[in-house]
Amino acid sequence: MQASQEYQSSGGIHRLYHHPMQPVEPYCFSSFQILDDDISTDNVSPSFAQATQVGDEQYYTLDSSPATSYTVCGTPSAFSISSNLTPFSPQGSQSYLTDQHHSYDNTYGSPLSGSSIVDEGSELKQMLRVLEHQLLGPESDIDDSCSQITTETLPRLDLRQALISCAEAVGDEDFLTAERFINVLERMVSVSGEPIQRLGAYMLEALRARFFLTGSCIYKKLKCKEPTSSELMSYMHVLYQICPYYKFAYNSANVVIWEAMQNENRIHIIDFQIAQGSQWVSLIEVLAKRPGGAPQVRITGVDDSQSAHARSGGLELVGKRLSKVAEQCGVQFEFHGAGISGCEVNLENLMLRPGEAVAVNFPYMLHHMPDESVTTTNHRDRLLRLVKSLSPKVVILVEQESNTNTASFFPRFKETLEYYTAMFESIDAGRPRDDKQRMSAEEHCVARDIVNIIACEGPERVERHELFGKWRARLVMAGFSQCPLSPSVSMAIMDVLKDYSKNYRLQEREGALHLFWNNRVLVTSSAWR
């Protein structure tokens, strides 16, 4: 290919982005988090909450089978969902229920708007009665006024609109209307259906969780069985294969670091979400072939309990794997593991040494750090200032392009629906609709993020995405300046995208790379110093 030949003289960088990535197991991007919930993959009917009695407490689990009933009580409950990480989240305005042969080519064009649903509360309730009559039958709880309502006299409320209307009722604490919408939505969603139906199943769970929290009911916890490490790695590998989001992060960071370190003999990479460490295998192999000899490489990997579970072991496993690769390549290598979360990282954990050129990698990680809206400690900005004090040669930030950090519930719900619609469409393009592996990957690696964004508040809500403009403001305030990305970075990503749907596209603007699904930006990558 001509593009590859053009950059062949740059000392081997073409080998970096044409080098096949190792079968990596990114463990949840921050778009992709693993639920601590017992998610069944055997039954592919709509996903609803099921109650089980444990001692004096009643728990609910995310399950793929419909619940026969649920209980509402009159006293407030303490409700929390623990979510340690996340990979991604999407948008859209077209109903799939009315277009069973929907094409992915023209999905995005206009943002979601709740104002187009109904103009008055009475119309909303009339539409709800129509839906109940259509979906639940004539024996549903419909008052006499419904006898004058037909599908011809009122516009049909589709799934997306029903979700938005339900969220509006939940946000307004209109519990009677919300409960009726939940009953209706249970018949409209399916984990094996169209992308909006699958997303709707998880958003319904999130609305149910929030409903029971603010509605003074017994929904104390979403208590789910954590998948085994081997299962989790399998789920994440499925997403790695069918979506380019991990490869976008890994390849863009590797090319930026390779270029920044061309003249450095001692390199220290600090990875704030080391996972399996597979990102660095191809970089080590390319550095081994650098003209003039390979540099000394040291990697500090920051860890947490989630990635340790995914590996089925601690950071020593990552160090052994990378050390073996470096030895085979003839690269002098050292690994240091920092088995703590990003909120706990301090200068002494990073083991700096004089004379090393430092590169810092933030792959789908920084949005998990609580900011000033959550705690006065503001770990998000504290960590950026700490990294700036290291005088790094380059810092790479890869994040989901979504605005869910400080938004109030209803705008946050619509943003989540918009963002994850695009994501579910992109996943759908990679595997058949009845693919069990795809269903399991969505349930275990994406649903947790959705529930956390919609149902949780305060410190319990750890999925707090920001748009690139806000990240740029934070980095500038911390003293960073943006580095322009060379054409090599775009070439690397374009080479990756050749293996995926044509509906993915890449655009460089504001000095950053933006990865689109149709007209929706899902991920951005940028470099700083």
Side-chain angles (χ1 to χ4, degrees), residues 144-166:
D144 294 338
S145 62
C146 187
S147 61
Q148 304 300 319
I149 302 172
T150 67
T151 55
E152 287 75 25
T153 58
L154 284 175
R156 179 172 180 175
L157 198 64
D158 68 15
L159 175 53
R160 180 175 283 102
Q161 291 175 320
L163 287 166
I164 292 174
S165 298
C166 183

Side-chain angles (χ1 to χ4, degrees), residues 77-116:
S77 300
F79 170 60
S80 66
I81 298 176
S82 174
S83 179
N84 301 323
L85 295 176
T86 154
F88 303 146
S89 308
Q91 164 172 329
S93 59
Q94 182 174 350
S95 170
Y96 294 95
L97 296 182
T98 58
D99 181 7
Q100 296 299 322
H101 301 285
H102 171 71
S103 168
Y104 296 112
D105 293 337
N106 296 295
T107 302
Y108 285 88
S110 59
L112 286 171
S113 173
S115 63
S116 63

